[in-house]
Amino acid sequence: MSTKTITPPNFPKPRGYAHGVVASGQTLHVSGQIAWDANARLVSTDFATQFLQALDNFVAVVRAAGGGTEHIVKLLVFVTDLEAYRNATKEIGEGWRARLGKHYPAMSLVKVAGLLEPGAMVEIEGVAVLPS
């Protein structure tokens, strides 16, 4: 099996992990992406803003590997506050459709006690199958 590490342009250099790994040329495994900018700073303390930035960062890894949003097949979303998620579903839904249209991959959402980066409320990881 061959693998290729993916780091999108303008992303901070990962320390101890890869943003994405393409396996066997077509399957891309994307590490958990949070709502940080190119300087590794969280973009907001607002839940919906963090969710959508984490999604944008996930999509950036897919695009850097040569895929598009339609190639995303699985997402695993970690949130620190289910009530904040529920309260933000309208804004998240609108942002989702603006980014992915009506493409809905297999997805799970899990509440966690905390995330590695202080202040992070959302982390999104997943899998994409890239075009040949």
Side-chain angles (χ1 to χ4, degrees), residues 19-42:
H19 289 291
V21 176
V22 177
S24 298
Q26 291 187 323
T27 304
L28 170 66
H29 297 266
V30 181
S31 292
Q33 299 297 313
I34 61 172
W36 58 10
D37 61 17
N39 297 310
R41 286 181 282 193
L42 291 174

Side-chain angles (χ1 to χ4, degrees), residues 3-132:
T3 62
K4 178 182 175 187
T5 301
I6 302 296
T7 300
N10 302 320
F11 261 45
K13 182 180 177 188
R15 296 177 303 199
Y17 68 97
H19 289 291
V21 176
V22 177
S24 298
Q26 291 187 323
T27 304
L28 170 66
H29 297 266
V30 181
S31 292
Q33 299 297 313
I34 61 172
W36 58 10
D37 61 17
N39 297 310
R41 286 181 282 193
L42 291 174
V43 298
S44 176
T45 58
D46 174 70
F47 188 90
T49 302
Q50 280 203 21
F51 187 101
L52 295 172
Q53 183 64 49
L55 183 60
D56 286 342
N57 291 345
F58 184 95
V59 169
V61 176
V62 173
R63 292 192 193 289
T69 57
E70 69 277 13
H71 300 116
I72 299 169
V73 297
K74 172 79 172 103
L75 293 177
L76 177 54
V77 180
F78 300 98
V79 300
T80 59
D81 186 339
L82 283 175
E83 198 58 33
Y85 172 77
R86 289 182 184 112
N87 291 335
T89 55
K90 181 178 181 195
E91 188 175 347
I92 290 169
E94 290 170 356
W96 179 282
R97 288 184 295 281
R99 291 157 173 80
L100 280 83
K102 293 184 178 184
H103 177 66
Y104 299 101
M107 186 170 18
S108 299
L109 185 135
V110 179
K111 180 185 179 200
V112 295
L115 297 167
L116 180 62
E117 186 68 27
M121 296 180 276
V122 179
E123 185 168 324
I124 303 174
E125 70 171 49
V127 178
V129 177
L130 304 173
S132 301

